[in-house]
Amino acid sequence: MAKMIGAIEVDIETCKGCSLCVEACPTDVIALADEVNGKGYNYAYMANPDACNGCTNCALVCPDSCITVYRKKVEMA
Amino acid sequence: MKGNEAIAEAAIRCGADGYFGYPITPQSEVMEKLMELQPWNSTGMVVLQAESETASINMLYGGAGCGKRVMTSSSSPGISLMQEGLSYMAGAELPCLVVNVVRGGPGLGTIQPSQSDYFQSVKGGGHGDYKLIVLAPASVQEMADFVELGFDLAFKYRNPAMILSDGMIGQMMEKVELKPQQKRWTDEEVAQMHPWATTGKPESRDYNIITSVELDSEAHEKFNHRLQVKYRELEEKEVRFETTDVDDADYLIVAYGSSARISAAAIEILREKGIKVGLLRPITLYPFPTKEIQRLGAKMKGILSVEMSSGQMVEDVRLAVEGKVKVEHFGRYGGVVHSPDEVAEALEQKLIGG
Amino acid sequence: MAEITEDIKVAENIVHKKSSVLTDKVMHYCPGCSHGVVHKLLAEVIEEMGIQDKTIGVAPVGCSVFIYNYLAIDWQEAAHGRAPALGTAISRLRPDRYVVTYQGDGDLAAIGTAETIHACNRGENMVMIFINNGIYGMTGGQMAPTTLEGMKASTCPFGRDPKTDGNPLKITEIVAQLPGTNFVTRQAVHTAAAVRRTKKAIRKAFEKQKDKTGTSFVEVVSTCNSGWKMNPVDSNNWMEENMFPFYPLGDIKDV
């Protein structure tokens, strides 16, 4: 069975922890980290990577263009 | 032709790229003439009647930011509205030409000639530490000639330039010799000559920003210092004036524009009476001919500053001679033009006594 | 699964990345600010149309005064409210260029109302982007021309009272009435779907400029979570509940 799997990469240092991506993610992949970045923001990260389908919603609403989205169709056993 | 019409003719001929203005007496003929001549069909020059003087000067900002030779004209109340834009242009180091055909103020004032915008023109006018390059024509010929000179200086120093005329020179008709038509700069020439201009970022250079904002006060002080260096250079290299009958003179009249013409006639009257008077006519009001006034002033018994105002330029004349010579002011104002007789009488009364 | 996630992070699988027209500078905006999203969309449209070398931007006074630090195109910084006047001259003197102005509500709909209306009425060939968040963000949250009735701001701390403070201004509906505009739309960037629609609108506004048929005007109803004193997510919800009924989204004019 083919399935879309995705992943995001957050530029931690430019993330301001606004959490708009958390809200926009339809599969609850993203959360804000307990740790902070150099500017003191709790940055976004993939808390639940398995659920990501690479829909790009998070990157679309991100005001700081700090999310890169990857997507690939893979055959699942 | 009229002084105002000469401005229009000269603008097209010197290859100006754009005129943006708003009607106001006594200078509306500038835009009327331009519209009549339709330069967009001949040279490609843009002429636009804007919604206000505020918009006009900001159109100049936009055009100058693209490295184009852009100008406007107005009269005193309209020039007051432009002060915001002039300050921004000085701050963004943008060249442009502004013609002020001065009328009597303050407020709506009168539509008759005046020279009461001297302070506003030469001391900055808007907010901040800046100067305009100010040219004062005394004839229709100079109205025409100073358009090109104004553009040249504005671009050489990347600073707004002003032709400070008055209702008399603007409305007066005289013979004028116009220069042959010059080509406008092409977009390629502009990009090459003015690498600072916003012409669209090619891959070969970083992107350009035209701005006057700098939040770091240390950096802003440095920028202001650079402006001051530019103004010192202007004061060193670009002072222009004309002197008449000064060699044997005991008294000196300092006057610009219309007042210089009236004063020249007054000097004839005085010389017939045996009173030796000479004339110094500043052509650039900023930079002001301070050194020459100081030099000539040293051998004079007195100086009369003649201007159609309650006494503005007289302050700069007094500063030039540093109290070493008596300096008096004479001028009718509020739209009243003094006569040669009045000037001659004032000189006798104020400098000779009786 | 975790290995697969790491494995797919290769260039060929990228489906969304930062636009090359955006610079490396970190935007000075507050977390969650709509400006960042609109800047990004503008950059993406310019990149996708391949017009980075042909676009001249005009920056406003307000929070987005430093937009020129973030998009690598030639920029001019205008005085408060005067961007359409600059744009007019740029567009007329460089008709071969795309001109885009970017302004907030105080800039475009208060101090610059005359410039806005007359540029749109003349139909100057430019894209005007209008960020409407109903408040003056940069100066600390004062009442804007677009502040809603009852909405609190530092200069109407008990809520805007039309009797004393005047009414909120629907400038976009006004410019839609003018013969010079060829496309007038109101969008938002609060959800992924809305972001897609806004990008389409900005793209359309730029495409319209190819025909030189007038001003293309895109309002983006936006949040100012600092000024509104809410977190970014709550701000989006508040905007949906309160701003959209008064400033309904969608195309107002397309000719």
Side-chain angles (χ1 to χ4, degrees):
Chain A
M1 184 185 82
K3 187 189 171 191
M4 280 297 183
I5 62 160
I8 66 167
E9 198 161 46
V10 178
D11 182 347
I12 290 169
E13 285 309 315
T14 58
C15 175
K16 293 173 184 161
C18 71
S19 80
L20 288 178
C21 57
V22 178
E23 193 70 13
C25 178
T27 54
D28 294 330
V29 172
I30 311 170
L32 295 188
D34 291 334
E35 301 80 42
V36 294
N37 65 13
K39 291 213 168 75
Y41 291 118
N42 300 97
Y43 53 87
Y45 79 110
M46 287 181 94
N48 182 17
D50 292 355
C52 182
N53 59 16
C55 74
T56 75
N57 279 8
C58 55
L60 286 172
V61 299
C62 175
D64 293 285
S65 298
C66 54
I67 303 175
T68 305
V69 184
Y70 304 86
R71 183 168 55 202
K72 194 181 181 186
K73 195 189 263 186
V74 290
E75 293 298 325
M76 304 297 275
Chain B
M1 69 176 68
K2 275 188 179 184
N4 289 335
E5 292 169 345
I7 294 270
E9 293 274 5
I12 299 169
R13 283 168 185 255
C14 81
D17 296 302
Y19 173 97
F20 302 88
Y22 188 81
I24 183 171
T25 307
Q27 64 76 49
S28 298
E29 296 87 354
V30 179
M31 184 164 39
E32 285 170 351
K33 188 75 190 172
L34 282 166
M35 289 295 189
E36 187 191 312
L37 292 171
Q38 299 182 297
W40 50 92
N41 288 330
S42 50
T43 69
M45 179 184 180
V46 170
V47 186
L48 176 64
Q49 180 170 338
E51 63 270 31
S52 67
E53 288 90 350
T54 306
S56 305
I57 193 70
N58 283 286
M59 289 172 184
L60 260 59
Y61 186 117
C66 295
K68 299 287 185 176
R69 303 218 286 183
V70 286
M71 64 180 291
T72 187
S73 62
S74 187
S75 181
S76 309
I79 298 289
S80 290
L81 266 177
M82 292 183 188
Q83 294 304 325
E84 174 202 47
L86 284 168
S87 169
Y88 275 71
M89 292 187 81
E93 297 198 84
L94 290 177
C96 70
L97 181 66
V98 177
V99 182
N100 183 1
V101 182
V102 181
R103 60 190 246 186
L108 201 48
T110 171
I111 57 169
Q112 304 303 326
S114 180
Q115 295 180 310
S116 49
D117 294 355
Y118 177 88
F119 280 151
Q120 186 193 50
S121 311
V122 308
K123 307 292 182 191
H127 59 283
D129 271 331
Y130 76 92
K131 299 284 190 184
L132 302 177
I133 299 163
V134 184
L135 302 168
S139 63
V140 175
Q141 184 66 52
E142 283 190 338
M143 285 285 255
D145 294 347
F146 289 1
V147 172
E148 189 175 5
L149 176 63
F151 273 126
D152 287 351
L153 290 172
F155 272 87
K156 185 174 174 191
Y157 292 93
R158 279 186 66 185
N159 200 75
M162 175 177 278
I163 294 180
L164 187 68
S165 180
D166 60 61
M168 205 165 116
I169 306 280
Q171 295 295 329
M172 188 166 69
M173 288 181 84
E174 279 184 327
K175 252 172 110 174
V176 53
E177 204 171 303
L178 295 169
K179 289 191 175 170
Q181 180 66 49
Q182 291 171 51
K183 279 203 178 107
R184 288 173 54 231
W185 295 330
T186 64
D187 290 337
E188 292 70 31
E189 283 167 342
V190 167
Q192 202 169 31
M193 292 158 64
H194 312 302
W196 47 265
T198 56
T199 50
K201 177 209 173 309
E203 282 200 19
S204 53
R205 68 159 164 83
D206 199 2
Y207 68 97
N208 285 339
I209 305 166
I210 302 286
T211 184
S212 63
V213 58
E214 174 54 72
L215 295 185
D216 174 356
S217 48
E218 294 284 335
H220 199 51
E221 187 185 43
K222 266 188 198 150
F223 167 72
N224 264 279
H225 178 69
R226 192 151 62 77
L227 286 185
Q228 292 305 314
V229 169
K230 173 160 84 180
Y231 301 145
R232 295 299 90 74
E233 191 184 338
L234 270 161
E235 288 160 13
E236 194 62 41
K237 295 182 183 165
E238 304 297 349
V239 175
R240 287 168 170 78
F241 59 87
E242 190 182 77
T243 52
T244 321
D245 299 331
V246 291
D247 292 341
D248 65 340
D250 296 320
Y251 298 94
L252 182 70
I253 290 179
V254 181
Y256 68 92
S258 313
S259 281
R261 296 173 70 117
I262 296 161
S263 297
I267 288 170
E268 280 183 31
I269 296 168
L270 289 161
R271 281 195 172 257
E272 273 174 30
K273 285 186 172 184
I275 305 166
K276 290 177 184 167
V277 185
L279 176 69
L280 186 145
R281 175 171 78 91
I283 292 171
T284 51
L285 293 175
Y286 183 82
F288 193 66
T290 304
K291 282 181 191 164
E292 188 60 16
I293 291 173
Q294 191 177 40
R295 194 184 70 79
L296 281 176
K299 52 177 192 167
M300 299 292 169
K301 292 179 184 165
I303 300 177
L304 187 68
S305 175
V306 179
E307 42 178 331
M308 290 186 280
S309 75
S310 61
Q312 299 188 13
M313 182 180 70
V314 64
E315 292 190 6
D316 286 334
V317 178
R318 285 196 177 119
L319 279 171
V321 299
E322 295 175 324
K324 288 171 186 154
V325 194
K326 186 177 182 185
V327 178
E328 292 290 340
H329 160 73
F330 175 73
R332 301 288 303 269
Y333 43 89
V336 181
V337 180
H338 29 240
S339 68
D341 285 325
E342 286 174 317
V343 173
E345 195 186 319
L347 186 136
E348 284 190 86
Q349 276 183 1
K350 289 172 183 252
L351 296 181
I352 306 172
Chain C
M1 220 19 216
E3 301 83 60
I4 299 175
T5 302
E6 279 312 307
D7 286 350
I8 68 167
K9 286 185 182 177
V10 290
E12 65 188 60
N13 294 331
I14 288 177
V15 285
H16 194 286
K17 64 170 183 172
K18 185 176 165 175
S19 166
S20 66
V21 172
L22 287 171
T23 66
D24 291 335
K25 294 204 179 79
V26 178
M27 295 187 195
H28 68 282
Y29 303 114
C30 307
C33 179
S34 308
H35 274 308
V37 183
V38 183
H39 286 17
K40 172 179 70 178
L41 298 182
L42 183 56
E44 287 174 358
V45 167
I46 290 169
E47 181 183 354
E48 286 163 21
M49 287 177 73
I51 56 170
Q52 188 176 8
D53 58 339
K54 295 182 187 67
T55 304
I56 301 171
V58 184
V61 171
C63 280
S64 48
V65 60
F66 294 123
I67 186 174
Y68 57 68
N69 284 330
Y70 309 129
L71 271 79
I73 57 169
D74 278 0
W75 283 102
Q76 293 191 25
E77 167 60 45
H80 200 27
R82 316 299 174 218
L86 271 68
T88 294
I90 298 169
S91 153
R92 289 194 178 225
L93 291 162
R94 290 305 302 256
D96 57 330
R97 294 300 189 239
Y98 291 88
V99 180
V100 57
T101 61
Y102 189 105
Q103 298 175 273
D105 38 44
D107 197 279
L108 181 140
I111 194 167
T113 311
E115 284 79 4
T116 300
I117 287 180
H118 285 282
C120 288
N121 195 46
R122 288 190 301 261
E124 300 297 343
N125 293 312
M126 57 187 173
V127 175
M128 291 179 69
I129 293 179
F130 167 39
I131 305 298
N132 173 13
N133 56 16
I135 205 157
Y136 284 74
M138 176 168 255
T139 46
Q142 294 81 12
M143 184 178 73
T146 52
T147 299
L148 297 172
E149 187 176 339
M151 186 176 170
K152 287 177 183 168
S154 67
T155 49
C156 54
F158 307 106
R160 182 178 202 154
D161 178 356
K163 283 198 195 105
T164 50
D165 304 322
N167 297 286
L169 180 64
K170 294 186 179 184
I171 189 89
T172 305
E173 274 78 357
I174 294 173
V175 303
Q177 299 297 313
L178 305 174
T181 48
N182 58 16
F183 177 50
V184 179
T185 186
R186 183 184 284 123
Q187 301 293 335
V189 290
H190 60 305
T191 63
V195 171
R196 286 192 183 93
R197 283 193 293 270
T198 301
K199 184 172 171 180
K200 262 191 198 151
I202 294 174
R203 173 75 187 238
K204 184 168 178 176
F206 273 85
E207 294 285 355
K208 284 260 183 192
Q209 290 305 307
K210 290 179 178 168
D211 306 328
K212 303 284 172 200
T213 57
T215 316
S216 309
F217 191 99
V218 181
E219 172 181 342
V220 183
V221 183
S222 300
T223 60
C224 174
N225 39 77
S226 294
W228 294 2
K229 301 181 170 50
M230 281 178 232
N231 70 44
V233 174
D234 290 348
S235 288
N236 275 339
N237 295 333
W238 191 90
M239 176 171 69
E240 274 190 81
E241 281 166 30
N242 298 281
M243 297 280 278
F244 292 173
F246 191 77
Y247 299 114
L249 305 188
D251 291 353
I252 300 171
K253 180 182 188 181
D254 184 6
V255 290

